[in-house]
Amino acid sequence: MIKNNNNNSSTSIKNHPCKKKKPTTLLLLLSLLTTSLLLLLRLSQNKTILITTATSDSDHHHRHKSSVLDSCLGRYIYIHNLPSRFNTDILQDCESISRPKDKISMCKYLDNYGFGPMIGDAVSVDSRYSPSWYATNQFMLEVIFHEKMKRYECLTRNSSLASAIYIPYYAGLDFRRNLRRRNVAERDAAGKEMFRWLKKQPQWKGMSGKDHFLVTGRISRDFRRNSDNRSLWGTNLILLPESQNLSFLTIERSPTSHNEFAIPYPTYFHPLSTVEIRQWQDNIKLTNRTVLFSFAGAQRPSRSQNGLVRTQVIQQCKSSSKSCIFLDCDVKANGCDDPMSLMKLFESSVFCLQPPGDSLTRRSVFDSILAGCIPVFFNQGSAHKQYVWHLPNNDGEYSVYIPVKELRTGGKSRIEEILRGIPNEKVIGLRENVIRLVPKIVYTKPNRYKPDGETLEDAFDVAVEGVIKRIEEQRREFE
């Protein structure tokens, strides 16, 4: 059968040499051209797949591939797929994160991307507060940051493209879960186990972790236990040898550290768009501030320097009862349980006192900025030396500093005297600068609406930009 066909074909070509040779040549050329085109198309598709994969979990993966490539150049981040015991398992075991004196289970605060339960409803909440207000716990930054990072616009699954590599270990929540363990080996175990896992990954081997960063929702001191004495506080995570190469983003850095960078505590406001932020800024510009200064906090033991300062602040506020309001946040007082009570106090105040407490920094600093209230500091390590990425270098642009010696020697009304002595035009300028800071100190919703190339940066954006710049400096030194 084959033979006959071949003979027929041969005969046909001989009988019609001009009619058959040309089409065959054309067919061969067309075939070659088609193969080339298919190959080019395949290569183009591979490139498209690479870019699409890099941003498949992001808000902007539907954009044109060239614009994605341009906007993400130098901004790609790779997320380690850590074993669940380092993050989601901790959340599943949320009851163990709660402490006996907690009035609300920590499980409640995990709702809504870690923002916690919404505050009230459309009927009961003041009309100034949009549905973007939540009862956010100050220790939820690890969850909030991770949720926002999962929707970051420049994620990549190709770690060779990444400018930075994120480790989603919930170290602060894990610490809280093991807070009552007297065995320090048990407290330290997860951190050491995490590094054993990381060191087996190819991403670690390139720069030995210098291109990696980790976010903690607690202060640095909680991870700096430098002894195996079981009576001492915290874990040794930040002091481990492998940690020296990481960049740590934390709510309070150690002043002597070279690789820790403070980022804002979460506030109660998590807007969905720029419009919401602008509306809120307009609201607080028009607020009638009838209280000269206020303090929301609890007493601290007077045996420490911070405790002494706080005692003096509370005493001076009480002695200036016509000019100052003290909101007692002691566990028994219940004064600060309602976020809206706090916000309304700060919104009605010209100045908000921010003495150190258990540590130098306070979540209240960012709540007061959010309310347009001028913060008053008593230690220069409480803000501008901490949050260098988020706050102006010149703390005099947005805050007032009162040295501790003024409290000791200036009499029982010294705070009131200093604040009354500030010219009105200066107060207006300080408040305007405080209100301008609002976008950079709030964590917006992970799925926030960003129309037409919006450039307004929130606290997360500023932190990511800062850590990428830091790691780029590390990379240049490494090379």
Side-chain angles (χ1 to χ4, degrees), residues 95 98-99 101-109 117 135 137 176 337:
E95 285 297 347
S98 300
R99 296 189 296 178
K101 69 177 182 178
D102 290 340
K103 297 176 182 177
I104 300 175
S105 167
M106 290 295 285
C107 297
K108 280 290 195 183
Y109 293 117
N137 185 280
R176 190 178 172 96
D337 289 350

Side-chain angles (χ1 to χ4, degrees), residues 238-255:
I238 288 179
L239 298 182
L240 293 174
E242 297 86 351
S243 291
Q244 306 317 302
N245 286 349
L246 298 188
S247 295
F248 284 91
L249 308 190
T250 180
I251 53 176
E252 179 181 315
R253 66 181 292 269
S254 166

Side-chain angles (χ1 to χ4, degrees), residues 365-377:
V365 171
F366 299 100
D367 290 334
S368 67
I369 290 173
L370 180 61
C373 184
I374 301 164
V376 179
F377 298 114

Side-chain angles (χ1 to χ4, degrees), residues 16-121:
H16 306 282
C18 297
K19 291 182 181 179
K20 293 293 180 182
K21 269 189 175 180
K22 189 172 181 180
T24 302
T25 304
L26 286 173
L27 284 171
L28 287 170
L29 289 171
L30 285 170
S31 177
L32 183 61
L33 182 60
T34 301
T35 302
S36 300
L37 287 171
L38 286 171
L39 182 60
L40 287 171
L41 180 61
R42 180 63 178 168
L43 289 171
S44 175
Q45 287 174 334
N46 285 343
K47 186 176 181 181
T48 304
I49 289 169
L50 174 62
I51 297 169
T52 303
T53 300
T55 59
S56 60
D57 294 321
S58 68
D59 292 334
H60 78 183
H61 70 282
H62 296 298
R63 295 181 191 172
H64 189 273
K65 64 182 181 183
S66 62
S67 66
V68 173
L69 185 61
D70 291 340
S71 66
C72 288
L73 192 62
R75 298 172 56 221
Y76 281 118
I77 289 180
Y78 177 86
I79 302 179
H80 270 301
N81 185 22
L82 286 182
S84 61
R85 61 185 175 276
F86 297 113
N87 41 52
T88 55
D89 286 359
I90 297 172
L91 304 186
Q92 293 295 322
D93 190 26
C94 59
E95 285 297 347
S96 68
I97 303 171
S98 300
R99 296 189 296 178
K101 69 177 182 178
D102 290 340
K103 297 176 182 177
I104 300 175
S105 167
M106 290 295 285
C107 297
K108 280 290 195 183
Y109 293 117
L110 298 176
D111 295 346
N112 300 307
Y113 310 110
F115 296 152
M118 288 183 64
I119 293 175
D121 52 49

Side-chain angles (χ1 to χ4, degrees), residues 392-463:
N393 291 330
N394 182 3
D395 59 328
E397 293 179 9
Y398 67 95
S399 65
V400 175
Y401 172 59
I402 300 179
V404 172
K405 66 179 181 180
E406 291 282 352
L407 297 181
R408 293 174 182 162
T409 61
K412 65 179 182 179
S413 300
R414 186 56 180 150
I415 294 175
E416 182 177 355
E417 291 171 4
I418 291 173
L419 298 181
R420 286 199 183 280
I422 301 174
N424 189 55
E425 58 272 19
K426 173 70 171 175
V427 172
I428 293 172
L430 287 170
R431 186 183 306 125
E432 289 176 349
N433 289 336
V434 166
I435 293 172
R436 288 192 191 101
L437 292 174
V438 168
K440 288 187 176 182
I441 60 97
V442 297
Y443 294 91
T444 58
K445 287 187 174 70
N447 57 340
R448 89 170 186 252
Y449 179 52
K450 299 173 69 177
D452 303 324
E454 171 200 317
T455 57
L456 190 66
E457 295 181 323
D458 74 344
F460 171 87
D461 296 321
V462 175

Side-chain angles (χ1 to χ4, degrees), residues 115 119 128-134 136 266-273 276-281 343 363 367 370 438 441-445:
F115 296 152
I119 293 175
R128 290 175 300 171
Y129 302 110
S130 71
S132 293
W133 290 81
Y134 299 81
T136 304
T267 65
Y268 301 116
F269 185 41
H270 306 286
L272 185 62
S273 68
E276 275 191 85
I277 296 176
R278 296 302 188 205
Q279 286 176 342
W280 177 251
Q281 288 176 300
M343 289 305 300
R363 178 237 179 96
D367 290 334
L370 180 61
V438 168
I441 60 97
V442 297
Y443 294 91
T444 58
K445 287 187 174 70

